[in-house]
Amino acid sequence: MKVGDLVIRRLYSPSYTGIEHRSAARQREELGHGLILTKQMSGKPRHACITVYYPKTGQIYDIAESLMEVISD
């Protein structure tokens, strides 16, 4: 993933529980696709995160890179 890629919330991960899957599906439906603005390391433990702008809602969120998938380079 790199700045400028279009991304969307990943719906499947082997570690997802039912609640996590429903949350991912809700976020994907409400927010739609997004544009990566920045990449950074953050959190505890430190992990790769991205800042994403969602044009559908006009909102900006930080999220773990592992929870997103690229839909267009």
Side-chain angles (χ1 to χ4, degrees), residues 2 4-7 69-73:
K2 60 188 182 300
D5 284 352
L6 286 178
V7 293
E69 62 182 288
V70 176
I71 57 174
S72 175
D73 294 328

Side-chain angles (χ1 to χ4, degrees), residues 12-39:
Y12 174 77
S13 174
S15 65
Y16 280 179
T17 64
I19 292 170
E20 290 167 326
H21 178 77
R22 285 191 300 273
S23 177
R26 181 188 55 77
Q27 288 175 4
R28 187 174 175 137
E29 176 67 29
E30 289 178 8
L31 300 173
H33 68 278
L35 178 71
I36 298 178
L37 301 178
T38 64
K39 290 181 67 169

Side-chain angles (χ1 to χ4, degrees), residues 19-72:
I19 292 170
E20 290 167 326
H21 178 77
R22 285 191 300 273
S23 177
R26 181 188 55 77
Q27 288 175 4
R28 187 174 175 137
E29 176 67 29
E30 289 178 8
L31 300 173
H33 68 278
L35 178 71
I36 298 178
L37 301 178
T38 64
K39 290 181 67 169
Q40 62 277 341
M41 295 295 288
S42 61
K44 291 187 181 181
R46 291 178 60 77
H47 58 280
C49 292
I50 55 177
T51 301
V52 181
Y53 168 69
Y54 295 96
K56 182 176 178 181
T57 63
Q59 296 173 310
I60 297 173
Y61 289 106
D62 290 333
I63 188 166
E65 190 174 311
S66 63
L67 298 178
M68 303 296 285
E69 62 182 288
V70 176
I71 57 174
S72 175

